[in-house]
């Protein structure tokens, strides 16, 4: 494979005794930050625990308005 222009520049800097720009990289530069894991069953239950479950008394904020009754 061909060597990129940036890599050639870094190698040239090192040959000339200058500081290597690779040394300034963060320790996380080579870490794979895309690691994913699926949620466990308990995490899923806790996530959906309070979603629309507050209407057990029938008090969910809805109401019925009867406009047709005898006025």
């Amino acid at each position: 494979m061909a060597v990129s222009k940036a890599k050639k520049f870094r190698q040239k800097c090192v040959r000339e005794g200058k500081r290597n720009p690779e040394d300034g990289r963060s320790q996380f530069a080579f870490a794979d930050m895309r690691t994913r894991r699926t949620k466990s069953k308990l995490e899923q239950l806790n996530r959906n625990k309070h979603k629309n479950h507050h209407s057990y008394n029938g008090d969910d904020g809805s109401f019925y308005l009867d406009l047709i009754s005898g006025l």
Side-chain angles (χ1 to χ4, degrees), residues 16-44:
E16 293 176 353
K18 296 179 185 174
R19 183 178 176 277
N20 187 358
E22 286 181 341
D23 295 337
R25 288 186 182 162
S26 169
Q27 61 185 354
F28 298 105
F30 301 106
D32 184 17
M33 303 303 257
R34 297 174 297 161
T35 55
R36 303 283 190 261
R37 69 176 179 86
T38 58
K39 293 187 181 205
S40 68
K41 185 175 182 180
L42 185 63
E43 288 173 334
Q44 280 285 13

Side-chain angles (χ1 to χ4, degrees), residues 1-5 7-8 11:
M1 287 180 63
V3 179
S4 70
K5 194 179 219 183
K7 188 166 186 175
K8 285 180 188 176
Q11 289 171 344

